[in-house]
């Protein structure tokens, strides 16, 4: 079964906005055994949209449309689907009632425009939208191509806002698809690694995953991380799970502790989990990353259980004031140096009273360093880690622009922490 | 003139990857007076791609294809364009020479597969790619639809990697388009506002921009910010600039200092600029935002000229240790309170010796507060700002989830800082 996703809205044909719903819809369709063969993005234009729907009906079994279900003249999806399929539209009394209640609950009169939202394709099932005024629609119908042959088509109309589309797809569209489609059992797993080249992962893993011809393996690289995705379809869920687990275990044996997560957790989640299990508390001192590491850690709910906090001694004199780096170290070695990274890690640990102090100091660019740091290359970063007994310092040279150096520096810090805790 | 962009690659039909090149291409096409009417995303499938190209040729004047120009069997763009247009392919000696040199420079033998990359559409101009092995192609041709009528079509083949596509479009494709297309002069402006409801901006601005029927106005809302985009086309560049400047000035008069940027700068850039102009230095103390404000500021190159640094006193006891908040304030009022926000701002200013100290303390959720903060609502945030003479505290209630509360809290802090500096 092939699907096409049509995202409707002129704003997605500007340089400012793009369709993101299709990623979510694709994951949901894949889990039901449906592949997405085409995505089309079209504006709020009657002729363009009607013809795009006709094309989708001629090449896909399932057509999922997102957007264009609002109350304005620009919201054309209902009419264009009707025209492409040669179906009528009727005003649905239940939808009208629900809409009126929705406005009444907000003590507002329903504007006349909203009557457009009560229009339902003949033969369609209304998909109740708890999060907005636009209901979705489900249509199990037939479509005759130019050849005269008639094929069954499933057409699903969903509202554009992600907060409305996602629950409507999961709760209303997906269960109906599952009933209609052949039974399908898919299992998937993801293994995550940090700071290791994609080519190295592939060279070591390809001999292992290639014989698993029934497991689809995808390697994704980005943001200092490699993800290995496995997906398998079998006659039962148990068999599918067993195949991906078996392959994942072989890969885990090969890659060992390069793998930081085998069930999808992010690197910062893993580090927080490990600290929590050991009853340890963390504080950080960040110079060139300027709060990015703390921000990544505190983006995780309940980070406060293990993350004490930290300092961002961005200017050189702040390294003295905020984490008690001896001035002579700065003068002698420069801020971007192993001794200063060491002093920062030890300093923040002592000030915070945490179990572990982690520090980052480096040159993110584009401007170079000053004084004793003047001749050091951009991308040079030192990571310090002090646990009270011992302080280690790691030196790395990160290629790329400011954003990349900053992000990778936090990856290096998290990865050093993870390996130390392991 | 209407364009269609076709993004080619099966990975963009998975839940993990999406086309982003089309945003860049759309901006470039718009600047030449070309609207994008359709975007299609299609996999590495000969039949699907050939038919998608045929459809694009039948409905657009300009077809821009990205991806599928690599050396593998999966790279089908050249062949499929040839098939859709009924054109031949030939091996280009110059491309072959350039490819061989490219490999020689890397002391590698050219793999036989790469010969595929020397195949050029009959009649096409090769677009040299300095950043990769896949050259682009430019084809000015004709296409006959089913009606038998023949139309001129511009077909542009570009490699998928953004680092190759962008320079190739800008340096090779855009100048050729400009020669072929009617002279087009477009001016654009953007005004940015923070923390103001979109509906309010529109209610106040619509009466002003609506009479400017020749200026296209777009309102975009997101991440605690409203952007007003103006775009105008006129027979000369000067006239176009004059129209958008005239409208922008009227809107600036209406919205006053709600507008933080009239030439595209971000809120953090504006705040850093204002501090720099006043010769002032900034330090921050962040609790619930956990380093996000510092991270946003330090993402801007040369932030170090005005940003001293700060502390992230995430745990309650760290508010005492890292920015000297008196313990009794925490016990009496809780960490999420005006007195603590005040003490944090004053504390970090005193410790850092900065001109201005800014603090953020609040409940980001999903868990609620503890002790004296137990009954406070999630989303409650206090922002403190101390300039040595005076300390102000602003209380806000931010709706939404953890990510939203954190982001909006930093917007409130930056906006308070901007208005104080103004």
């Amino acid at each position: 079964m092939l699907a096409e996703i049509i995202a409707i809205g002129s704003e997605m044909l500007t340089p400012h906005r793009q369709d993101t719903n299709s990623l979510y819809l694709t994951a949901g369709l894949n889990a039901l055994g449906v592949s997405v063969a085409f995505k089309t993005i079209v504006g709020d234009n009657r002729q363009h949209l009607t013809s795009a729907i006709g094309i989708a009906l001629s090449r896909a079994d399932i057509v999922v449309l997102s957007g264009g279900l609002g109350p304005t003249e620009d919201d054309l999806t209902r009419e264009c689907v009707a025209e492409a399929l040669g179906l009528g539209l009727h005003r649905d009394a239940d939808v009208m009632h629900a809409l009126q209640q929705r406005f009444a609950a907000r003590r507002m009169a329903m504007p006349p425009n909203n009557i457009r939202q009560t229009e339902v394709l003949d033969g369609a099932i209304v998909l109740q939208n708890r999060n907005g005024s636009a209901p979705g629609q489900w249509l199990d119908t037939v479509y005759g191509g130019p050849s005269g042959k008639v094929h069954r088509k499933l057409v699903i109309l969903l509202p554009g806002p992600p907060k409305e589309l996602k629950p409507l797809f999961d709760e209303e569209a997906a269960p109906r698809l599952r009933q209609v489609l052949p039974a399908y059992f898919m299992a998937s797993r993801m293994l995550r690694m940090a700071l290791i080249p994609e080519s190295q992962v592939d060279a070591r893993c390809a001999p292992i995953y290639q014989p698993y011809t029934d497991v689809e393996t995808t390697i994704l690289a980005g943001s200092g991380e490699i993800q290995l995705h496995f997906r398998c379809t079998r006659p039962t869920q148990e068999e599918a799970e067993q195949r991906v687990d078996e392959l994942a275990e072989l890969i885990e044996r090969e890659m060992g502790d390069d793998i930081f997560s085998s069930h999808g957790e992010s690197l910062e989640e893993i580090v927080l989990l490990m600290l929590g299990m050991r009853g340890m508390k963390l504080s950080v001192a960040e110079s060139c990353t300027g709060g990015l590491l703390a921000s990544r850690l505190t983006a995780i709910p309940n980070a406060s259980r293990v993350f004490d906090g930290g300092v961002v001694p961005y200017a050189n004199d702040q390294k003295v004031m905020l984490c008690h780096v001896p001035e002579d170290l700065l003068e002698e070695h420069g801020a971007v140096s192993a001794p200063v990274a060491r002093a920062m890690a030890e300093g923040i640990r002592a000030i915070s009273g945490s179990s572990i102090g982690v520090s980052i100091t480096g040159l993110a660019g584009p401007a170079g360093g000053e004084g004793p740091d003047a001749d050091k290359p951009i991308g040079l970063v030192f990571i310090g880690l002090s646990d009270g007994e011992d302080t280690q310092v790691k030196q790395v040279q990160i290629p790329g622009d400011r954003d990349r150096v900053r992000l990778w520096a936090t990856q290096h810090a998290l990865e050093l922490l993870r390996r130390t805790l392991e």
Side-chain angles (χ1 to χ4, degrees), chain A:
Chain A
M1 299 288 272
L2 290 186
E4 173 157 350
I5 298 171
I6 304 181
I8 298 142
S10 297
E11 72 282 5
M12 288 180 291
L13 296 173
T14 71
H16 312 299
R17 281 278 183 275
Q18 71 179 330
D19 154 62
T20 54
N21 285 328
S22 67
L23 296 177
Y24 190 84
L25 295 172
T26 300
L29 290 165
N30 289 172
L32 294 161
V34 178
S35 295
V36 175
F38 298 93
K39 296 194 219 174
T40 299
I41 295 133
V42 57
D44 305 309
N45 173 304
R46 189 178 306 263
Q47 190 200 330
H48 290 174
L49 178 53
T50 306
S51 91
I53 295 167
I55 290 165
L57 288 166
S58 71
R59 64 189 179 185
D61 309 296
I62 300 171
V63 179
V64 183
L65 303 107
S66 67
L69 297 182
T72 77
E73 299 285 319
D74 276 352
D75 292 300
L76 298 163
T77 303
R78 291 170 292 256
E79 294 154 58
C80 294
V81 172
E83 194 181 332
L85 279 164
L87 285 179
L89 286 166
H90 61 274
R91 290 197 180 157
D92 186 282
D94 292 343
V95 174
M96 176 72 94
H97 183 68
L99 258 184
Q100 281 166 337
Q101 283 205 314
R102 193 181 158 80
F103 279 96
R106 290 168 173 67
R107 298 177 185 281
M108 290 162 67
M110 186 174 104
N113 259 350
N114 284 73
I115 292 177
R116 295 169 58 86
Q117 297 189 298
T118 69
E119 291 183 346
V120 173
L121 293 155
D122 292 348
I125 292 170
V126 170
L127 309 180
Q128 299 271 9
N129 178 358
R130 331 177 242 103
N131 303 297
S133 62
Q137 300 190 36
W138 161 275
L139 185 64
D140 188 344
T141 187
V142 292
Y143 180 73
S147 67
K149 254 204 198 163
V150 161
H151 298 276
R152 182 178 181 183
K153 302 287 170 183
L154 301 171
V155 182
I156 303 167
L157 285 66
L158 298 172
K163 281 187 184 166
E164 302 177 30
L165 174 133
K166 290 177 182 182
L168 216 52
F169 180 82
D170 289 343
E171 294 160 21
E172 299 290 338
R176 287 184 169 84
L177 282 169
R178 193 170 291 115
Q179 278 189 342
V180 169
L181 297 172
Y184 182 85
F185 300 100
M186 188 186 85
S188 60
R189 278 285 294 275
M190 172 175 39
L191 301 177
R192 300 171 74 165
M193 284 157 267
L195 302 170
I196 181 171
E198 183 180 2
S199 55
Q200 195 194 116
V201 174
D202 201 33
R204 289 167 62 184
C205 295
I208 301 169
Y209 68 69
Q210 271 163 357
Y212 282 73
T213 49
D214 59 334
V215 181
E216 193 188 315
T217 300
T218 310
I219 303 188
L220 295 177
S223 306
E225 180 181 332
I226 305 284
Q227 298 181 350
L228 268 174
H229 292 259
F230 308 113
R231 215 170 77 175
C232 177
T233 315
R234 304 289 290 181
T236 69
Q237 189 67 36
E238 292 67 33
E239 279 179 73
E241 303 278 1
Q242 199 194 313
R243 288 294 285 171
V244 295
D245 286 347
E246 192 182 305
L247 175 53
E249 202 179 304
L250 292 176
I251 300 277
E252 286 186 272
R253 206 173 297 164
E254 168 62 31
M255 299 307 296
D257 60 8
D258 282 342
I259 293 170
F260 67 76
S261 153
S262 54
H263 289 88
E265 306 90 342
S266 67
L267 185 53
E268 45 270 48
E269 279 177 288
I270 289 291
V271 164
L272 291 172
L273 276 172
M274 291 171 92
L275 287 163
M277 285 190 306
R278 282 157 188 72
M280 295 172 105
K281 298 265 189 167
L282 171 69
S283 57
V284 301
E286 302 180 64
S287 183
C288 66
T289 53
L292 183 59
L293 176 59
S295 179
R296 286 183 64 181
L297 289 164
T298 57
I300 310 296
N302 299 316
S304 54
R305 290 186 193 150
V306 294
F307 183 64
D308 270 337
V311 291
V312 181
Y314 204 59
N316 271 6
D317 58 351
Q318 301 297 324
K319 293 178 180 67
V320 182
M321 287 180 272
L322 298 179
C323 57
H324 305 175
V325 174
E327 257 184 283
D328 58 342
L329 278 190
L330 289 162
E331 277 159 24
E332 191 180 341
H333 304 280
V336 182
S337 64
V340 169
R342 173 182 301 272
M344 285 170 64
E346 290 172 353
I348 187 60
R349 193 186 156 280
I351 297 167
S352 295
S354 312
S355 334
I356 294 189
V358 166
S359 68
I360 304 176
T361 179
L363 290 171
E370 287 169 7
D373 295 320
D375 294 330
K376 297 176 186 170
I378 286 169
L380 177 67
V381 175
F382 293 88
I383 316 281
L385 192 158
S386 168
D387 62 7
E389 290 182 8
D390 191 33
T391 302
Q392 44 179 319
V393 176
K394 194 177 171 194
Q395 174 179 346
V396 291
Q397 180 63 45
I398 303 170
D401 63 12
R402 183 177 179 90
D403 286 345
R404 191 172 188 278
V405 172
R406 283 162 48 93
L407 179 66
W408 280 68
T410 62
Q411 287 291 90
H412 277 288
L414 290 169
E415 188 65 356
L416 181 64
L417 195 46
R418 181 181 74 86
R419 288 181 182 271
T420 303
L421 292 170
E422 202 130 80

